[in-house]
Every structure is written in C-alpha cells, then in structure tokens.
Amino acid sequence: MLTPTFAAELKRRVLVLPFDNTLKNKNYAWMSESTADNLKTEILKSGKFEVLDVTLLRKIDPNMQFANLDAKNASAFAARLNCEVAVVGRFKVRKEGRAAIVTFAADGVDALEKKLVVTKNEDAVINAEIFDSVATLARSISDELNNKLEPLDADEYRRDNRLEKLIRRLQNPPKGFLDSVAIVGSPDSGSAEFTPAFDIDTFKYDAYINYDQADGVEKYKVDYQYWGKRLMPEITATDASCKLGECKFNGRKSTLTIFKTSGNKTQPYTIRLHLPHPGGPVIARWWVTAGYPYTTNIAAFGQSSPEALSRGGGIPFGAMRGFGHLEFGLGTERLQFGNGFKWAWVTQLFYGEGNMPEFSTDSGYNLKLRMFSAGGGLRLDRPIFLGSRYAFSPFVGFYVHYQRFFREVSGPALNAAAIVPELGINQYFRFGYKRRYRWVLTLAAGSFVYSGQNLTYARAGFGIEYSFK
C-alpha cells in the first residue's frame, strides 16, 4: 500500500499597511489605522495567513514611510520585509448634503508574482454604522485573498533568515541583551575566530579554537552586538586577563562571563574557551619521500664482506645494488630538546638486487639475490629557515631494519636484522598558497651494520612534507 506524502506548508505573510488618507483630512485621520486593524483581525481569523502590521514595522524602523504606496511598488516593499502579500488602501471623504461619504479603495498584491489578486472599492456613510461597514470591507478582502492564494511549499521557499530572526524577537521580546557574540584574534596577533550558533536567550556556550586558528595568537577580542539600547558590558574571566574587551588566556580552559552592565549582573552570558595545546598538535608534521639508493660494502673497523657466496659464509654485499627507497615520517612539537632540535619517528623501505658469484669469483656460477628491508627508528634534526620559502635541516637517525634475502618471492629466504645509523640533510621548498606544504629533497648516507659486515648506502629522495610550524 502506498502512503501519499504531502509537502510542508508555509503560511503566506501579509503586509497590512495603514490606509492612505488621500485628502489629508485631519478629522478622519483615525480611519487610516482603524481600517488596517480591522483588516488584520479578519485576515488572522482565516488561519491561512500571518500578518506583519504597522506596529511591528515601526519597531523594525521607526522612520519607515508608508505613504504613496500603490499596487505596483507594494510588491518590492513587501518582499524586502519577508512578506508574500501586500494590502494597500486609500480613502477619501466627500460631502453629499449633510452626509459625509467615505470611499474606500483597496488592492491585494501577490508580491511573489507581482500582480493584483484583489481589488475592492466601496462607499459608506460615516455614521454610527461606519465600523460595521469597515468590518464588512475587511472580511471581503480577507475572503478573496483566502480563495485566490494557496500556502507556500516550506521545502522550496526560503525567507531572509536575518529579518526572520528580527521579526521573531520583536514579536516575542527576549530576555537576553546580546544580538551576537564572537571570539576573534586581535588584528595584530592572528586570525582566530569563534562565532557560535547564537541565540539571544541561550546564555552558555563552548568555544573550541583549533590549532590553525590559535597559531600565533596572543590576545583575543570579545566582539559583540547589543540588542536594543547599546550599553557598556562588564567582562570578567577565569584563568585569563581582560582589558577593554581584549583578553589573554593563561590556560587551555578559561571562562568569559559577560554582564549587561557593571550594575546589572542578571542573566550573564558565559563562554567556556577550549584552546589547543601550546606545543601544537600531537602530529605536527609528516612527510613521504621516494628515491634511489646507491649501495656498496665498505671494509672498515674490522668489517668486510666475502667476495663470493658460500655455504656457512656471509653475503657478498659488494655485489648488492639498490633499486628503490621509500620513507614515511611523523614528527611532533612536544617534548622537544630545545634550541630548535626536533625528533620524529621514521619508517623506511629498501629494495635491492645483486648478481653474486657462488663458491668463488672465478667459478662461473652466479646467483641473483634480492633484498627487501623494512625498519624504522628515531631521527633528530634541526631546521634552519632562510626566508619564507627555503629551509634546510641536517639530521641524524638511528634505525633498526628487518631484512629478507631471497631468490624467489615464494621460495626460501634468509632473514637478518641490522642496526642502521644515518646522516643527511633535507632541503625544503615551500610552494603556492599552501604554506604548510613544501617539497623535500633528501641527501643522506647510512649503513646496514651486521655482525662483521655492512651494506653502506648513499641515497637521494624527493617528496612532500606537511608541517604545522
């Protein structure tokens, strides 16, 4: 069974303006707003419309003028006030013998389609029954609007939200005294900005400032707009110092309290600040580089490799050639050593191959041996910046690698472990508008150190780094 669905309906809002006293007859000026009030009452009775009347309009703008509005320009006037319908009217009084006759003319305008939907003209004698005549006119206008205009589709039609908020506040005066509040970095210290989903009668907020916003910010300004008459608030803070609306926070969790005035401390606004760790994020930088390693054996410090592969002997590392290198690193700004030295965790992968003689160098038998090496450890470096786009950083690293030497991937393999000291230098080149990203060129040398042997390498790598600072 299919269940029909229905679009949510939005009541049209009718702008009801005072009727224009065409002849400016002071004796009948009361009819201008009296007629509009009767019309408002009858429209609301229908249950199909909302009404925006002159009382509310004067709260929005006391200097707003309603004179000389006609059906043509009423549409634009209504649209600016979030109204979909406008009713404009005029009246003039003439004498016929001893009787005073009033002529009413009223136009109902569809402000969305910019067209007339109701036109009424009616004469009435000004006597004790004039109020009944006005009520009858109002009912006829309301009935015709009701018949000709359907509600709007709430899912498709949107009104200006700022004006809607103002209208709601004027219709239901709030208890609060701020119209908006924000925490922003002072102009000379950063660009942090916290603007909550503010409601005038919500008095407690949490402000979360992230690392990018807080970077370089020493002081924050409390930026606010008053609702109604502008006063000078009193701002107090815990774990912070504030002066002239500008605050310096001494901890990661401070609280701001905003009072209406120093003498009125009822219903204050409270903002709990949540600031990031002063040392930056746990992962303050990461990088990935790929490159080529040149490998060889160096006979030094009593270490040497055999010239040929033999049973029970070592591996002739002098024949091993590097084919590829991949490195991934993670760094932090916390627990640093001072003086600009930084440490990071580094993970490395190496791949190499070598055609190694078996038994002896002149045996005529060669064996192709492959090496896969994976490991990691700690690196200590010292970045040095030259301008805004270039930096270099000498580094020293100490790693442990686990290695497999094999002929075929699925065949038997020799496993080994190596201690790897490494020295090198990174060069950084910032690019584009992504100031936290930069190219990395690495030049380094190190050695896989085994028991009585080594496989020494020099490598070059290129990649990208993201750095918080």
Side-chain angles (χ1 to χ4, degrees):
M1 178 180 177
L2 295 177
T3 303
T5 57
F6 300 94
E9 292 185 346
L10 177 68
K11 292 181 179 180
R12 292 179 185 249
R13 182 178 290 143
V14 182
L15 176 64
V16 178
L17 297 172
F19 275 46
D20 189 21
N21 184 357
T22 305
L23 300 179
K24 311 300 180 197
N25 192 321
K26 294 182 180 180
N27 293 329
Y28 302 103
W30 57 269
M31 295 180 67
S32 181
E33 294 196 14
S34 176
T35 308
D37 287 341
N38 274 275
L39 181 56
K40 171 186 172 182
T41 301
E42 294 300 328
I43 289 174
L44 289 174
K45 282 181 181 179
S46 73
K48 286 187 62 176
F49 300 97
E50 298 177 5
V51 171
L52 186 66
D53 64 2
V54 67
T55 303
L56 206 57
L57 288 175
R58 285 175 177 152
K59 289 181 180 179
I60 295 173
D61 183 357
N63 299 316
M64 195 174 291
Q65 299 296 319
F66 319 114
N68 302 317
L69 283 177
D70 54 26
K72 185 176 180 180
N73 56 26
S75 293
F77 192 75
R80 288 200 304 271
L81 295 167
N82 278 8
C83 294
E84 296 77 42
V85 185
V87 177
V88 292
R90 302 159 297 286
F91 70 90
K92 57 183 178 180
V93 179
R94 67 181 187 277
K95 289 286 188 177
E96 290 188 2
R98 294 185 176 183
I101 308 297
V102 60
T103 298
F104 293 103
D107 298 315
V109 183
D110 182 342
L112 299 180
E113 299 293 333
K114 299 180 181 179
K115 66 180 183 180
L116 273 173
V117 290
V118 176
T119 300
K120 292 290 181 182
N121 292 280
E122 188 167 328
D123 290 344
V125 178
I126 301 177
N127 56 25
E129 298 177 356
I130 184 62
F131 296 104
D132 293 334
S133 300
V134 170
T136 300
L137 173 65
R139 278 194 297 274
S140 66
I141 295 172
S142 176
D143 290 344
E144 200 159 339
L145 289 175
N146 191 33
N147 291 332
K148 292 185 176 181
L149 296 175
E150 294 295 328
L152 301 169
D153 186 338
D155 294 329
E156 296 184 0
Y157 182 74
R158 292 288 183 272
R159 291 169 177 155
D160 180 81
N161 192 55
R162 293 177 62 186
L163 184 55
E164 284 299 289
K165 184 168 70 173
L166 177 60
I167 291 171
R168 286 195 302 271
R169 291 179 182 176
L170 290 170
Q171 291 173 331
N172 303 285
K175 297 177 183 178
F177 56 89
L178 290 182
D179 194 51
S180 68
V181 66
I183 307 297
V184 298
S186 298
D188 59 345
S189 62
S191 59
E193 181 172 351
F194 162 75
T195 304
F198 186 80
D199 181 83
I200 196 168
D201 283 337
T202 299
F203 297 94
K204 292 185 178 181
Y205 296 91
D206 285 276
Y208 294 88
I209 307 297
N210 63 38
Y211 287 101
D212 284 331
Q213 292 174 321
D215 187 22
V217 179
E218 295 183 358
K219 294 182 179 179
Y220 294 83
K221 181 182 178 183
V222 183
D223 189 14
Y224 57 85
Q225 293 293 325
Y226 250 91
W227 166 251
K229 183 180 179 181
R230 185 167 184 82
L231 303 168
M232 181 60 68
E234 180 177 322
I235 301 174
T236 63
T238 60
D239 205 14
S241 56
C242 296
K243 185 177 180 180
L244 300 176
E246 197 172 61
C247 300
K248 183 175 183 179
F249 300 110
N250 303 319
R252 294 180 61 193
K253 293 187 177 181
S254 302
T255 300
L256 291 177
T257 304
I258 306 173
F259 299 100
K260 189 171 186 178
T261 64
S262 58
N264 185 348
K265 298 191 175 183
T266 59
Q267 289 286 18
Y269 292 90
T270 301
I271 303 175
R272 294 182 291 266
L273 273 295
H274 301 264
L275 296 170
H277 193 285
V282 175
I283 305 300
R285 57 181 175 138
W286 60 262
W287 70 88
V288 60
T289 61
Y292 169 77
Y294 171 79
T295 58
T296 189
N297 168 252
I298 296 179
F301 305 106
Q303 292 189 327
S304 63
S305 295
E307 296 182 352
L309 188 64
S310 60
R311 184 179 297 274
I315 298 175
F317 284 117
M320 184 66 67
R321 296 292 175 259
F323 273 75
H325 171 269
L326 181 66
E327 179 178 279
F328 178 71
L330 296 172
T332 180
E333 292 292 324
R334 304 186 190 183
L335 303 175
Q336 296 297 343
F337 296 98
N339 296 318
F341 286 95
K342 304 176 184 295
W343 65 270
W345 174 260
V346 176
T347 298
Q348 295 179 327
L349 300 175
F350 280 84
Y351 177 77
E353 296 179 357
N355 289 312
M356 302 177 182
E358 285 192 276
F359 311 121
S360 66
T361 55
D362 57 357
S363 67
Y365 294 99
N366 287 324
L367 174 67
K368 187 172 185 178
L369 197 64
R370 297 175 172 86
M371 178 195 77
F372 179 75
S373 182
L378 294 179
R379 173 181 292 174
L380 185 67
D381 64 346
R382 173 62 167 88
I384 300 170
F385 292 90
L386 302 176
S388 62
R389 291 190 174 270
Y390 175 74
F392 68 93
S393 177
F395 66 82
V396 57
F398 299 93
Y399 321 122
V400 175
H401 272 247
Y402 173 79
Q403 297 176 321
R404 287 176 63 86
F405 296 89
F406 53 91
R407 295 176 63 183
E408 302 293 339
V409 175
S410 59
L414 172 65
N415 299 326
I419 302 297
V420 187
E422 185 180 66
L423 293 171
I425 185 170
N426 284 326
Q427 296 186 77
Y428 303 105
F429 307 88
R430 288 186 175 176
F431 62 95
Y433 295 101
K434 303 289 187 181
R435 291 289 184 174
R436 297 196 188 280
Y437 287 92
R438 52 199 186 189
W439 301 116
V440 183
L441 175 62
T442 301
L443 300 174
S447 184
F448 298 101
V449 180
Y450 314 94
S451 176
Q453 292 184 269
N454 69 78
L455 175 60
T456 301
Y457 63 84
R459 66 180 181 88
F462 184 74
I464 191 171
E465 177 178 279
Y466 173 89
S467 179
F468 175 71
K469 288 187 178 181

PDB file of all heavy atoms in Angstrom, residues 377-396:
ATOM      1  N   GLY A 377      62.914   3.998  13.146  1.00  0.00           N
ATOM      2  CA  GLY A 377      63.519   4.434  14.395  1.00  0.00           C
ATOM      3  C   GLY A 377      63.376   5.922  14.576  1.00  0.00           C
ATOM      4  O   GLY A 377      62.485   6.560  13.989  1.00  0.00           O
ATOM      5  N   LEU A 378      64.266   6.509  15.358  1.00  0.00           N
ATOM      6  CA  LEU A 378      64.184   7.929  15.709  1.00  0.00           C
ATOM      7  C   LEU A 378      65.167   8.747  14.883  1.00  0.00           C
ATOM      8  O   LEU A 378      66.264   8.300  14.570  1.00  0.00           O
ATOM      9  CB  LEU A 378      64.481   8.118  17.194  1.00  0.00           C
ATOM     10  CG  LEU A 378      63.470   7.511  18.172  1.00  0.00           C
ATOM     11  CD1 LEU A 378      63.913   7.762  19.597  1.00  0.00           C
ATOM     12  CD2 LEU A 378      62.083   8.090  17.934  1.00  0.00           C
ATOM     13  N   ARG A 379      64.707   9.972  14.581  1.00  0.00           N
ATOM     14  CA  ARG A 379      65.564  10.909  13.859  1.00  0.00           C
ATOM     15  C   ARG A 379      65.575  12.226  14.620  1.00  0.00           C
ATOM     16  O   ARG A 379      64.546  12.684  15.117  1.00  0.00           O
ATOM     17  CB  ARG A 379      65.047  11.134  12.447  1.00  0.00           C
ATOM     18  CG  ARG A 379      65.803  12.244  11.701  1.00  0.00           C
ATOM     19  CD  ARG A 379      65.254  12.464  10.319  1.00  0.00           C
ATOM     20  NE  ARG A 379      65.536  11.306   9.478  1.00  0.00           N
ATOM     21  CZ  ARG A 379      65.080  11.170   8.244  1.00  0.00           C
ATOM     22  NH1 ARG A 379      64.308  12.110   7.708  1.00  0.00           N
ATOM     23  NH2 ARG A 379      65.373  10.101   7.541  1.00  0.00           N
ATOM     24  N   LEU A 380      66.733  12.842  14.687  1.00  0.00           N
ATOM     25  CA  LEU A 380      66.898  14.151  15.305  1.00  0.00           C
ATOM     26  C   LEU A 380      67.369  15.118  14.229  1.00  0.00           C
ATOM     27  O   LEU A 380      68.341  14.842  13.521  1.00  0.00           O
ATOM     28  CB  LEU A 380      67.920  14.078  16.435  1.00  0.00           C
ATOM     29  CG  LEU A 380      68.127  15.351  17.278  1.00  0.00           C
ATOM     30  CD1 LEU A 380      66.881  15.670  18.078  1.00  0.00           C
ATOM     31  CD2 LEU A 380      69.324  15.176  18.218  1.00  0.00           C
ATOM     32  N   ASP A 381      66.628  16.270  14.084  1.00  0.00           N
ATOM     33  CA  ASP A 381      67.032  17.236  13.065  1.00  0.00           C
ATOM     34  C   ASP A 381      66.913  18.648  13.598  1.00  0.00           C
ATOM     35  O   ASP A 381      66.353  18.882  14.674  1.00  0.00           O
ATOM     36  CB  ASP A 381      66.232  17.053  11.771  1.00  0.00           C
ATOM     37  CG  ASP A 381      64.748  17.317  11.961  1.00  0.00           C
ATOM     38  OD1 ASP A 381      64.290  17.384  13.123  1.00  0.00           O
ATOM     39  OD2 ASP A 381      64.032  17.447  10.954  1.00  0.00           O
ATOM     40  N   ARG A 382      67.471  19.576  12.842  1.00  0.00           N
ATOM     41  CA  ARG A 382      67.489  20.994  13.250  1.00  0.00           C
ATOM     42  C   ARG A 382      67.173  21.854  12.038  1.00  0.00           C
ATOM     43  O   ARG A 382      68.064  22.210  11.262  1.00  0.00           O
ATOM     44  CB  ARG A 382      68.854  21.358  13.822  1.00  0.00           C
ATOM     45  CG  ARG A 382      69.058  22.851  14.142  1.00  0.00           C
ATOM     46  CD  ARG A 382      68.078  23.327  15.210  1.00  0.00           C
ATOM     47  NE  ARG A 382      68.444  24.615  15.745  1.00  0.00           N
ATOM     48  CZ  ARG A 382      68.064  25.792  15.235  1.00  0.00           C
ATOM     49  NH1 ARG A 382      67.329  25.812  14.142  1.00  0.00           N
ATOM     50  NH2 ARG A 382      68.422  26.919  15.800  1.00  0.00           N
ATOM     51  N   PRO A 383      65.874  22.187  11.796  1.00  0.00           N
ATOM     52  CA  PRO A 383      65.522  23.029  10.638  1.00  0.00           C
ATOM     53  C   PRO A 383      66.093  24.439  10.776  1.00  0.00           C
ATOM     54  O   PRO A 383      66.066  25.037  11.855  1.00  0.00           O
ATOM     55  CB  PRO A 383      63.984  23.052  10.674  1.00  0.00           C
ATOM     56  CG  PRO A 383      63.602  21.869  11.510  1.00  0.00           C
ATOM     57  CD  PRO A 383      64.694  21.717  12.515  1.00  0.00           C
ATOM     58  N   ILE A 384      66.586  24.954   9.668  1.00  0.00           N
ATOM     59  CA  ILE A 384      67.106  26.319   9.607  1.00  0.00           C
ATOM     60  C   ILE A 384      66.432  27.008   8.425  1.00  0.00           C
ATOM     61  O   ILE A 384      66.558  26.555   7.278  1.00  0.00           O
ATOM     62  CB  ILE A 384      68.636  26.326   9.425  1.00  0.00           C
ATOM     63  CG1 ILE A 384      69.307  25.609  10.608  1.00  0.00           C
ATOM     64  CG2 ILE A 384      69.155  27.752   9.285  1.00  0.00           C
ATOM     65  CD1 ILE A 384      70.779  25.354  10.403  1.00  0.00           C
ATOM     66  N   PHE A 385      65.683  28.084   8.688  1.00  0.00           N
ATOM     67  CA  PHE A 385      64.903  28.757   7.651  1.00  0.00           C
ATOM     68  C   PHE A 385      65.668  29.953   7.100  1.00  0.00           C
ATOM     69  O   PHE A 385      66.195  30.777   7.856  1.00  0.00           O
ATOM     70  CB  PHE A 385      63.560  29.214   8.219  1.00  0.00           C
ATOM     71  CG  PHE A 385      62.645  28.079   8.565  1.00  0.00           C
ATOM     72  CD1 PHE A 385      62.662  27.514   9.829  1.00  0.00           C
ATOM     73  CD2 PHE A 385      61.768  27.551   7.616  1.00  0.00           C
ATOM     74  CE1 PHE A 385      61.832  26.453  10.148  1.00  0.00           C
ATOM     75  CE2 PHE A 385      60.935  26.500   7.919  1.00  0.00           C
ATOM     76  CZ  PHE A 385      60.971  25.938   9.190  1.00  0.00           C
ATOM     77  N   LEU A 386      65.706  30.022   5.790  1.00  0.00           N
ATOM     78  CA  LEU A 386      66.307  31.151   5.084  1.00  0.00           C
ATOM     79  C   LEU A 386      65.213  31.790   4.250  1.00  0.00           C
ATOM     80  O   LEU A 386      64.926  31.364   3.142  1.00  0.00           O
ATOM     81  CB  LEU A 386      67.476  30.679   4.208  1.00  0.00           C
ATOM     82  CG  LEU A 386      68.614  29.951   4.940  1.00  0.00           C
ATOM     83  CD1 LEU A 386      69.648  29.455   3.931  1.00  0.00           C
ATOM     84  CD2 LEU A 386      69.256  30.868   5.974  1.00  0.00           C
ATOM     85  N   GLY A 387      64.581  32.805   4.789  1.00  0.00           N
ATOM     86  CA  GLY A 387      63.438  33.419   4.099  1.00  0.00           C
ATOM     87  C   GLY A 387      62.170  32.606   4.345  1.00  0.00           C
ATOM     88  O   GLY A 387      62.110  31.725   5.200  1.00  0.00           O
ATOM     89  N   SER A 388      61.151  32.892   3.552  1.00  0.00           N
ATOM     90  CA  SER A 388      59.853  32.256   3.752  1.00  0.00           C
ATOM     91  C   SER A 388      59.644  31.015   2.896  1.00  0.00           C
ATOM     92  O   SER A 388      58.702  30.263   3.109  1.00  0.00           O
ATOM     93  CB  SER A 388      58.726  33.263   3.435  1.00  0.00           C
ATOM     94  OG  SER A 388      58.798  33.673   2.078  1.00  0.00           O
ATOM     95  N   ARG A 389      60.544  30.774   1.924  1.00  0.00           N
ATOM     96  CA  ARG A 389      60.308  29.665   1.003  1.00  0.00           C
ATOM     97  C   ARG A 389      61.370  28.569   1.036  1.00  0.00           C
ATOM     98  O   ARG A 389      61.144  27.495   0.483  1.00  0.00           O
ATOM     99  CB  ARG A 389      60.174  30.194  -0.433  1.00  0.00           C
ATOM    100  CG  ARG A 389      58.909  31.003  -0.655  1.00  0.00           C
ATOM    101  CD  ARG A 389      58.688  31.299  -2.121  1.00  0.00           C
ATOM    102  NE  ARG A 389      57.413  31.952  -2.347  1.00  0.00           N
ATOM    103  CZ  ARG A 389      56.288  31.336  -2.595  1.00  0.00           C
ATOM    104  NH1 ARG A 389      56.266  30.018  -2.634  1.00  0.00           N
ATOM    105  NH2 ARG A 389      55.175  32.003  -2.796  1.00  0.00           N
ATOM    106  N   TYR A 390      62.492  28.819   1.673  1.00  0.00           N
ATOM    107  CA  TYR A 390      63.557  27.815   1.650  1.00  0.00           C
ATOM    108  C   TYR A 390      64.049  27.546   3.066  1.00  0.00           C
ATOM    109  O   TYR A 390      64.178  28.455   3.899  1.00  0.00           O
ATOM    110  CB  TYR A 390      64.725  28.277   0.789  1.00  0.00           C
ATOM    111  CG  TYR A 390      65.907  27.328   0.823  1.00  0.00           C
ATOM    112  CD1 TYR A 390      65.851  26.110   0.146  1.00  0.00           C
ATOM    113  CD2 TYR A 390      67.047  27.626   1.568  1.00  0.00           C
ATOM    114  CE1 TYR A 390      66.921  25.219   0.186  1.00  0.00           C
ATOM    115  CE2 TYR A 390      68.120  26.749   1.617  1.00  0.00           C
ATOM    116  CZ  TYR A 390      68.050  25.539   0.927  1.00  0.00           C
ATOM    117  OH  TYR A 390      69.095  24.661   0.985  1.00  0.00           O
ATOM    118  N   ALA A 391      64.325  26.264   3.340  1.00  0.00           N
ATOM    119  CA  ALA A 391      64.920  25.869   4.613  1.00  0.00           C
ATOM    120  C   ALA A 391      65.738  24.610   4.375  1.00  0.00           C
ATOM    121  O   ALA A 391      65.519  23.874   3.403  1.00  0.00           O
ATOM    122  CB  ALA A 391      63.845  25.622   5.661  1.00  0.00           C
ATOM    123  N   PHE A 392      66.681  24.361   5.266  1.00  0.00           N
ATOM    124  CA  PHE A 392      67.414  23.099   5.220  1.00  0.00           C
ATOM    125  C   PHE A 392      67.560  22.574   6.640  1.00  0.00           C
ATOM    126  O   PHE A 392      67.465  23.325   7.620  1.00  0.00           O
ATOM    127  CB  PHE A 392      68.782  23.270   4.544  1.00  0.00           C
ATOM    128  CG  PHE A 392      69.752  24.110   5.323  1.00  0.00           C
ATOM    129  CD1 PHE A 392      70.664  23.528   6.203  1.00  0.00           C
ATOM    130  CD2 PHE A 392      69.775  25.495   5.165  1.00  0.00           C
ATOM    131  CE1 PHE A 392      71.563  24.300   6.913  1.00  0.00           C
ATOM    132  CE2 PHE A 392      70.670  26.281   5.871  1.00  0.00           C
ATOM    133  CZ  PHE A 392      71.572  25.678   6.755  1.00  0.00           C
ATOM    134  N   SER A 393      67.793  21.265   6.754  1.00  0.00           N
ATOM    135  CA  SER A 393      67.819  20.656   8.072  1.00  0.00           C
ATOM    136  C   SER A 393      68.783  19.484   8.098  1.00  0.00           C
ATOM    137  O   SER A 393      68.494  18.422   7.526  1.00  0.00           O
ATOM    138  CB  SER A 393      66.411  20.177   8.456  1.00  0.00           C
ATOM    139  OG  SER A 393      66.440  19.532   9.711  1.00  0.00           O
ATOM    140  N   PRO A 394      69.935  19.616   8.737  1.00  0.00           N
ATOM    141  CA  PRO A 394      70.806  18.459   8.950  1.00  0.00           C
ATOM    142  C   PRO A 394      70.118  17.481   9.906  1.00  0.00           C
ATOM    143  O   PRO A 394      69.388  17.895  10.810  1.00  0.00           O
ATOM    144  CB  PRO A 394      72.066  19.062   9.585  1.00  0.00           C
ATOM    145  CG  PRO A 394      71.964  20.539   9.346  1.00  0.00           C
ATOM    146  CD  PRO A 394      70.511  20.851   9.272  1.00  0.00           C
ATOM    147  N   PHE A 395      70.358  16.196   9.730  1.00  0.00           N
ATOM    148  CA  PHE A 395      69.717  15.235  10.634  1.00  0.00           C
ATOM    149  C   PHE A 395      70.602  14.032  10.861  1.00  0.00           C
ATOM    150  O   PHE A 395      71.514  13.731  10.080  1.00  0.00           O
ATOM    151  CB  PHE A 395      68.353  14.796  10.083  1.00  0.00           C
ATOM    152  CG  PHE A 395      68.404  13.997   8.810  1.00  0.00           C
ATOM    153  CD1 PHE A 395      68.664  12.626   8.829  1.00  0.00           C
ATOM    154  CD2 PHE A 395      68.174  14.612   7.579  1.00  0.00           C
ATOM    155  CE1 PHE A 395      68.698  11.885   7.656  1.00  0.00           C
ATOM    156  CE2 PHE A 395      68.202  13.870   6.401  1.00  0.00           C
ATOM    157  CZ  PHE A 395      68.481  12.509   6.440  1.00  0.00           C
ATOM    158  N   VAL A 396      70.322  13.351  11.962  1.00  0.00           N
ATOM    159  CA  VAL A 396      70.953  12.092  12.279  1.00  0.00           C
ATOM    160  C   VAL A 396      69.855  11.137  12.723  1.00  0.00           C
ATOM    161  O   VAL A 396      68.945  11.525  13.452  1.00  0.00           O
ATOM    162  CB  VAL A 396      72.030  12.249  13.379  1.00  0.00           C
ATOM    163  CG1 VAL A 396      71.442  12.851  14.650  1.00  0.00           C
ATOM    164  CG2 VAL A 396      72.694  10.913  13.679  1.00  0.00           C
TER     165      VAL A 396
END
